[in-house]
Amino acid sequence: MSEIQVGQFFRADGSLTHIPAKASRKIAVLEVIAQKLNMGQRYSERELNEIILEFHSDTAALRRHMVEFKILERDRDSNYWLAQNN
């Protein structure tokens, strides 16, 4: 998905206007959010929420989608990290 197509979901301040319903658009938006994360670093749920909150208030939905689409991995202690395929 091109930057222009993804850009339609973001305000000038970088926050999301809404979470896209279509999977391909949702994945593209989630990948933009994932760019704020460092490969190899583990994030507590609280730390991840603080980053996601810069984009949208529904941190739980965005976290869940990022795990569902294998952008993030999660352990039983609610620690998150970028999946190796990113």
Side-chain angles (χ1 to χ4, degrees), residues 65-77:
H65 293 314
M66 291 175 90
V67 171
E68 173 187 354
F69 291 111
K70 300 185 183 344
I71 295 168
L72 290 179
E73 294 185 44
R74 177 182 186 267
D75 65 19
R76 291 181 183 189
D77 296 324

Side-chain angles (χ1 to χ4, degrees), residues 5-55:
Q5 292 172 316
V6 174
Q8 69 184 321
F9 299 107
F10 291 92
R11 295 182 185 90
D13 68 0
S15 64
L16 278 171
T17 58
H18 65 284
I19 300 170
K22 188 174 179 179
S24 61
R25 292 178 178 171
K26 188 180 299 180
I27 291 168
V29 164
L30 296 172
E31 288 175 345
V32 170
I33 295 170
Q35 291 175 5
K36 287 282 197 169
L37 306 174
N38 297 314
M39 183 60 75
Q41 182 173 342
R42 289 184 177 252
Y43 297 87
S44 67
E45 187 170 300
R46 181 178 178 172
E47 291 169 326
L48 185 58
N49 284 346
E50 289 174 12
I51 293 166
I52 293 172
L53 198 53
E54 296 176 28
F55 295 93

